[in-house]
Amino acid sequence: MLLEKRKLVVIIGPTAVGKTKLSIDLAHRLNAEIISGDSMQIYKGMDIGTAKITKEEMSGIRHHLLDIKHPDEDYSAAEFQATVRPLIEEIANQGKTPMIVGGTGLYIQSVLFDYQFTETPSDPVFRTKLELDLLEKGEHAIHQMLEKVDPEAASKIHPNNSRRVIRALEIYHCTNKKMSDFIGGQKQELLYNTALIGLTMDREVLYNRINQRVELMVKQGLVEEVKRLYENGIRETQAIQAIGYKELYDYFDGKISYDQAIDTLKQNSRRYAKRQLTWFRNKMDVEWFDMTPPINHDEMVDEIFTYIAGKHQL
């Protein structure tokens, strides 16, 4: 059954484009509460590397879905969907505007559209065989198997995340369908009266901002933050596949030098920003706003607020 078409504001865009500050200023104008649409900001103790908003930056705006999981726990788009839809209702029932802000496209998409997450079949015997192959041949060999049958899933799942690699292979083995097939092809009807705002920026400017952000994270204590997780034995988990964490784990493991870890972190962050933009442009009908400096921030807030007011007939 389709939900009542509540008014919903969604702000998306690549990492480092300026979503946080803009969302706070808009939230004050719209009497909004913000739902994090970031798959890694849900984890406790992962603040610097995920660019999690601080209490001061929140400026009194209530935020949801931050620090709700421990780093050794899994999380999924299905769980995000099941959590966020009631939250939207709750916020709207209080007379406030629900606003989703983040860069994890699949998570946000799963809420906006009528995606059905059904249980996919499993084959314990096949899974056991893959787990033995993992022990004998290593994680990269298993990942290469996935690349052959489902290159899209392979591009999104890090080779170290062997649990998810094996699950994707198991799904293909049981159904002859890719993981993405269970989402692709479903009805593309928006469940909400959605003002879907995308922030973009000149690529070179964005890449420079990403490099500067990484350097700032290091100064703020990123290495120490990741070291605490490493020393607490948090390994082979979904959380540690996050950019900013997996690179430093390789450094702590002695696989690469410190400088290589930081350079790789910058490179992976730039590549991730490119993938984010590609996803949003291909998967959703977004109203784009260019944040390339020099811009007048207050004028941009006014412009986006005017768009939302027109969309929602405020």
Side-chain angles (χ1 to χ4, degrees), residues 19-32:
K19 297 185 293 294
T20 298
K21 178 172 171 50
L22 184 110
S23 67
I24 293 296
D25 291 341
L26 279 173
H28 282 296
R29 298 274 295 269
L30 293 163
N31 188 26

Side-chain angles (χ1 to χ4, degrees), residues 143 145-157 178:
H143 194 263
M145 291 170 61
L146 182 60
E147 285 178 342
K148 291 178 182 176
V149 298
D150 190 350
E152 183 176 353
S155 70
K156 295 174 182 174
I157 303 173
K178 303 171 185 176

Side-chain angles (χ1 to χ4, degrees), residues 114-174:
D114 190 23
Y115 284 171
Q116 305 296 322
F117 288 97
T118 55
E119 286 295 323
T120 52
S122 60
D123 184 338
V125 174
F126 180 75
R127 191 187 320 134
T128 300
K129 178 185 177 301
L130 289 176
E131 288 168 350
L132 290 171
D133 286 344
L134 174 66
L135 290 172
E136 293 174 5
K137 302 175 184 176
E139 56 200 19
H140 285 283
I142 300 297
H143 194 263
Q144 285 173 353
M145 291 170 61
L146 182 60
E147 285 178 342
K148 291 178 182 176
V149 298
D150 190 350
E152 183 176 353
S155 70
K156 295 174 182 174
I157 303 173
H158 193 273
N160 291 348
N161 196 347
S162 53
R163 183 190 59 80
R164 287 194 67 205
V165 172
I166 288 174
R167 182 62 184 137
L169 284 165
E170 185 182 12
I171 288 171
Y172 185 82
H173 169 76
C174 294

Side-chain angles (χ1 to χ4, degrees), residues 45-276:
M46 295 175 61
D47 303 329
I48 299 170
T50 64
K52 195 178 295 175
I53 189 169
T54 65
K55 288 289 183 185
E56 293 74 24
E57 289 170 332
M58 288 181 187
S59 185
I61 298 297
R62 189 178 181 191
H63 281 64
H64 302 267
L65 266 61
L66 299 174
D67 300 326
I68 62 169
K69 293 280 186 179
H70 291 285
D72 58 354
E73 295 180 280
D74 285 340
Y75 199 63
S76 68
E79 190 172 350
F80 180 80
Q81 181 194 74
T83 305
V84 169
R85 286 184 177 169
L87 256 181
I88 290 171
E89 293 298 299
E90 177 187 317
I91 294 167
N93 286 336
Q94 293 170 358
K96 296 186 175 183
T97 302
M99 179 190 292
I100 301 175
V101 181
T104 305
L106 176 60
Y107 280 31
I108 295 170
Q109 205 178 3
S110 75
V111 170
L112 300 185
F113 300 99
D114 190 23
Y115 284 171
Q116 305 296 322
F117 288 97
T118 55
E119 286 295 323
T120 52
S122 60
D123 184 338
V125 174
F126 180 75
R127 191 187 320 134
T128 300
K129 178 185 177 301
L130 289 176
E131 288 168 350
L132 290 171
D133 286 344
L134 174 66
L135 290 172
E136 293 174 5
K137 302 175 184 176
E139 56 200 19
H140 285 283
I142 300 297
H143 194 263
Q144 285 173 353
M145 291 170 61
L146 182 60
E147 285 178 342
K148 291 178 182 176
V149 298
D150 190 350
E152 183 176 353
S155 70
K156 295 174 182 174
I157 303 173
H158 193 273
N160 291 348
N161 196 347
S162 53
R163 183 190 59 80
R164 287 194 67 205
V165 172
I166 288 174
R167 182 62 184 137
L169 284 165
E170 185 182 12
I171 288 171
Y172 185 82
H173 169 76
C174 294
T175 66
N176 206 31
K177 289 183 178 181
K178 303 171 185 176
M179 285 182 76
S180 53
D181 291 339
F182 286 91
I183 292 178
Q186 296 196 46
K187 290 173 70 175
Q188 293 293 299
E189 179 184 356
L190 283 167
L191 296 182
Y192 302 94
N193 179 1
T194 308
L196 184 51
I197 295 142
L199 306 184
T200 187
M201 187 176 285
D202 174 82
R203 181 174 292 183
E204 287 307 311
V205 175
L206 180 64
Y207 285 179
N208 284 334
R209 282 170 63 101
I210 288 170
N211 290 341
Q212 291 168 8
R213 173 183 272 193
V214 170
E215 290 167 6
L216 178 60
M217 286 176 171
V218 171
K219 289 179 182 176
Q220 290 173 332
L222 175 62
V223 178
E224 292 78 10
E225 177 176 277
V226 181
K227 190 69 175 289
R228 281 194 295 273
L229 296 169
Y230 183 86
E231 291 178 343
N232 285 334
I234 306 295
R235 299 188 70 89
E236 303 299 327
T237 67
Q238 183 174 318
I240 300 309
Q241 306 315 314
I243 296 170
Y245 296 83
K246 59 187 178 185
E247 296 86 358
L248 286 169
Y249 264 56
D250 284 345
Y251 162 60
F252 296 143
D253 283 338
K255 296 178 181 176
I256 57 177
S257 70
Y258 173 79
D259 288 342
Q260 286 175 315
I262 301 304
D263 286 345
T264 304
L265 169 50
K266 290 178 179 178
Q267 183 182 65
N268 287 342
S269 298
R270 296 192 300 267
R271 287 174 175 171
Y272 179 57
K274 183 179 179 181
R275 290 198 304 272
Q276 285 176 300

